[in-house]
Amino acid sequence: MSRSRLRLLLLAAALALAAGSSHSFEFHEATLDAIHSGFKNGSLTSTALVRFYLGQISRLNPLLRAVIEVNPDALRQAARADAERRSSGDRQIVGLHGVPVLLKDNIATRDQLNTTAGSLALLGSVVRRDAGVVARLRRAGAVVIGKANLDEWANFRSAIGTGGWSARGGQGKNPYVLSSPPCGSSTGPAIAAAANMVAVTLGTETDGSILCPSSLNSVVGIKPTVGLTSRAGVIPISPRQDTVGPICRTVADAVHVLDAIVGYDELDAVATRVASEYIPEGGYTQFLKIDGLKGKRIGVPNGLFDFEDGTVRQMVYQQHLNTLKRNGAVVIENLDIADLDVIQNATVSGELAVLAAEFKIALNAYLSDLSFSPVRSLAEIIAFNNAHPDEEMLKQFGQLIFLVSENTTGIGSIEKAATQQLDDLTANGVEKVMKEHRLDAIVAPDSSSATVLAIAGLPGIAVPAGYDEQGAPFGVTFGGLKGYEPRLIEIAYAFEQDTKVRNPPMFKQ
Ligand SMILES: *[C@@H]1O[C@H](CO)[C@@H](O)[C@H](O)[C@H]1NC(C)=O
Ligand SMILES: *[C@@H]1O[C@H](CO)[C@@H](O)[C@H](O)[C@H]1NC(C)=O
Ligand SMILES: *[C@@H]1O[C@H](CO)[C@@H](O)[C@H](O)[C@H]1NC(C)=O
Ligand SMILES: *[C@@H]1O[C@H](CO)[C@@H](O)[C@H](O)[C@H]1NC(C)=O
């Protein structure tokens, strides 16, 4: 072949590639809707999607530390999903089929992945079965791509803080401004979603652990009503407050994931039976309404929006209240949640007393159900930490909550009185305000309403709201009463579609 002919052929090939690329799949910021149409028109396979995300993980994880483990079976699961779609055609292009999901490392999987809550103490422990939510993901045909880093503050090292650290995962970094805290404890899921290291993720929350990292990493987090999603197989803190929910780049994606994971589970029977009453016929995607703010009554509690005049946050949040009104919502300002200062102080409210007692009971139950584990009780984890002070960073973080928790002796009179006080604080606080003013939601900056929602098992959705003077993201949370997910989704989706705040991260030093 002559040289010029070869050159022509190469040119033709390059042109063909360029033409193809105009129809090729855009991986960055891919939504589930885009993934579904990519599967339909043949521009995308699950295998290509998993390869893209594995590439992102190997490129970005040394910097961001969002992922603790990658699933060695992920490509095999993707190939199986591709084969299933080939043999059944479009019928399999629904929900999460063939979609890579990243799981917070306290959500158990019975596969090659470890489940450790980021702690060295649980490395090598073997679970009997997948967590309830993972079993649902697998039935939906999702691909488990790996385990996400977390801030193990209450799990295995127990410093109270939001530094995004785990002994196994290291310190997670905010992908927008590397020096800005990414918050926890669902640090890794939020970072990974933000930085396009996976399609969708699952986090968990006891008090702020979905809403806070979602707010600070410009992603959407849904913290479901406690019991809407099964906690079976999730390394626990508090059965009263723990909940599993999606962290994704868009409200629609998070709602698709929510649809896949809600429902009754006999291994978390009481809570999931009660909450399954809230699941609407036809699922949650019907509430993705562009005019979802119309007629909604949204309350603005005092004491949460306190930013200095002239700061970016103060101005942007003010604009957002106007956005809500412009879209037809009735915004009611200046509402008092009674005893908010008590609610916000876990020592005074009784929250800490209840969590300390519940943590010991629930963790010991989780550990005793493992088919193998190097540690079988909270006491043994405390001993493990004492024996490995450097690896578990005992000097930096201590393990005070563990010691306090180990000191408890079940749910006695102190814990019962504390639980009653928490219930009273809710009844006289957020419930009273919401009923008096017939509210659909309360709105608050970032995760500042997290504790109000947490102590009562109430749902909330965090949505990107803006970027501060340095470029670090902040968010807004819409919270409601039990089972209010449908109206919170309407509000969050309409707000997101009007504001379109989310931008991909810039990795600023
Ligand atoms: C297939 O769908 C994806 C996602 O909507 C789009 O980006 C791509 O251009 C489409 N490709 C073709 C060949 O139509
Ligand atoms: C799970 O932990 C063990 C160490 O105990 C390690 O050898 C293995 O690679 C881990 N699994 C994965 C999928 O990373
Ligand atoms: C909570 O209340 C206790 C007891 O009044 C007080 O010592 C502590 O400083 C308070 N904590 C916060 C974060 O305000
Ligand atoms: C645990 O209880 C013992 C005995 O009552 C007490 O001395 C110790 O200070 C307690 N430790 C913590 C961390 O509360």
Side-chain angles (χ1 to χ4, degrees):
M1 195 185 306
S2 77
R3 203 160 262 182
S4 63
R5 195 172 147 72
L6 178 65
R7 213 174 288 138
L8 264 180
L9 271 177
L10 285 174
L11 185 64
L15 281 174
L17 267 179
S21 74
S22 72
H23 289 288
S24 70
F25 188 78
E26 179 51 56
F27 288 99
H28 282 277
E29 298 292 293
T31 62
L32 281 173
D33 284 345
I35 288 170
H36 288 160
S37 50
F39 286 161
K40 267 195 194 110
N41 70 18
S43 67
L44 181 69
T45 60
S46 298
T47 304
L49 203 51
V50 168
R51 276 195 209 289
F52 170 75
Y53 290 127
L54 291 177
Q56 288 286 96
I57 291 170
S58 67
R59 194 159 44 248
L60 295 175
N61 208 53
L63 179 66
L64 299 179
R65 300 182 190 278
V67 176
I68 293 186
E69 286 186 5
V70 160
N71 189 356
D73 296 322
L75 278 168
R76 225 182 340 259
Q77 288 176 13
R80 190 173 63 215
D82 288 333
E84 281 169 5
R85 272 200 316 282
R86 270 197 305 276
S87 65
S88 73
D90 286 0
R91 275 177 299 121
Q92 288 280 17
I93 303 179
V94 288
L96 298 183
H97 188 273
V99 173
V101 182
L102 184 71
L103 306 170
K104 187 178 178 181
D105 187 45
N106 61 343
I107 301 173
T109 53
R110 185 163 163 73
D111 54 16
Q112 296 196 63
L113 293 161
N114 297 286
T115 304
T116 68
S119 167
L120 292 160
L122 274 182
L123 196 55
S125 68
V126 180
V127 300
R128 282 186 202 283
R129 59 189 86 77
D130 285 331
V133 289
V134 175
R136 284 185 182 273
L137 290 177
R138 295 208 203 272
R139 283 201 292 278
V143 175
V144 173
I145 198 167
K147 290 288 175 73
N149 197 8
L150 64 149
D151 176 345
E152 53 162 337
W153 73 271
N155 291 3
F156 290 95
R157 205 178 41 225
S158 74
I160 294 192
T162 52
W165 279 94
S166 87
R168 290 190 62 212
Q171 185 175 30
K173 295 276 189 193
N174 186 317
Y176 290 82
V177 178
L178 297 171
S179 58
S180 184
C183 200
S185 70
S186 303
T187 318
I191 296 171
N196 283 279
M197 296 161 82
V198 70
V200 296
T201 78
L202 287 192
T204 68
E205 167 150 344
T206 307
D207 188 340
S209 285
I210 288 175
L211 299 175
C212 186
S214 298
S215 295
L216 299 193
N217 291 284
S218 213
V219 286
V220 174
I222 301 183
K223 181 234 171 196
T225 302
V226 166
L228 198 65
T229 51
S230 168
R231 291 83 50 79
V234 177
I235 300 176
I237 296 174
S238 154
R240 209 176 163 276
Q241 295 186 195
D242 291 351
T243 185
V244 183
I247 299 180
C248 302
R249 286 180 290 275
T250 66
V251 175
D253 283 3
V255 168
H256 279 293
V257 175
L258 184 68
D259 260 338
I261 60 173
V262 295
Y264 175 74
D265 180 355
E266 63 180 10
L267 295 175
D268 186 14
V270 176
T272 57
R273 184 177 296 121
V274 172
S276 61
E277 304 279 323
Y278 299 127
I279 302 171
E281 185 106 21
Y284 288 100
T285 53
Q286 61 186 301
F287 303 108
L288 298 169
K289 291 185 193 156
I290 200 85
D291 63 350
L293 277 163
K294 203 183 255 169
K296 291 292 189 300
R297 297 176 60 83
I298 302 176
V300 185
N302 288 325
L304 299 177
F305 283 94
D306 39 3
F307 302 101
E308 266 175 60
D309 279 357
T311 58
V312 168
R313 284 185 183 223
Q314 189 270 337
M315 290 186 290
V316 169
Y317 283 128
Q318 196 55 49
Q319 278 168 21
H320 285 328
L321 294 185
N322 292 330
T323 302
L324 300 177
K325 291 178 201 163
R326 194 163 29 74
N327 282 276
V330 180
V331 175
I332 302 149
E333 296 187 61
N334 234 341
L335 299 179
D336 280 319
I337 293 178
D339 294 319
L340 184 62
D341 51 336
V342 175
I343 292 168
Q344 302 274 45
N345 185 322
T347 317
V348 182
S349 71
E351 185 187 12
L352 199 60
V354 176
L355 294 197
E358 279 197 300
F359 178 55
K360 181 178 175 183
I361 299 166
L363 182 69
N364 286 344
Y366 174 88
L367 295 173
S368 65
D369 191 44
L370 294 169
S371 55
F372 173 81
S373 180
V375 286
R376 284 295 187 177
S377 65
L378 177 56
E380 288 182 18
I381 290 175
I382 291 170
F384 178 94
N385 289 344
N386 286 331
H388 302 84
D390 295 341
E391 298 93 318
E392 290 283 13
M393 288 173 276
L394 216 52
K395 214 175 260 160
Q396 276 151 295
F397 298 104
Q399 52 177 344
L400 183 57
I401 295 179
F402 276 24
L403 300 173
V404 170
S405 180
E406 182 56 25
N407 254 8
T408 62
T409 53
I411 307 293
S413 55
I414 292 174
E415 290 77 14
K416 281 184 188 141
T419 303
Q420 186 60 53
Q421 171 161 302
L422 292 172
D423 290 346
D424 292 346
L425 286 167
T426 298
N428 300 326
V430 67
E431 276 178 11
K432 183 152 174 247
V433 165
M434 290 199 67
K435 281 174 188 158
E436 245 169 45
H437 296 272
R438 291 176 291 114
L439 300 181
D440 296 291
I442 55 165
V443 61
D446 293 322
S447 54
S448 58
S449 56
T451 302
V452 169
L453 304 173
I455 61 169
L458 306 181
I461 303 184
V463 188
Y467 303 88
D468 71 10
E469 289 82 350
Q470 279 69 48
F474 55 90
V476 65
T477 292
F478 300 99
L481 299 180
K482 283 185 183 173
Y484 273 27
E485 279 82 0
R487 44 189 121 180
L488 297 182
I489 289 166
E490 289 181 341
I491 291 168
Y493 181 71
F495 174 82
E496 175 201 49
Q497 293 303 305
D498 186 291
T499 56
K500 292 269 167 92
V501 167
R502 186 186 147 70
N503 294 319
M506 308 297 286
F507 310 102
K508 223 175 109 182
Q509 288 297 328

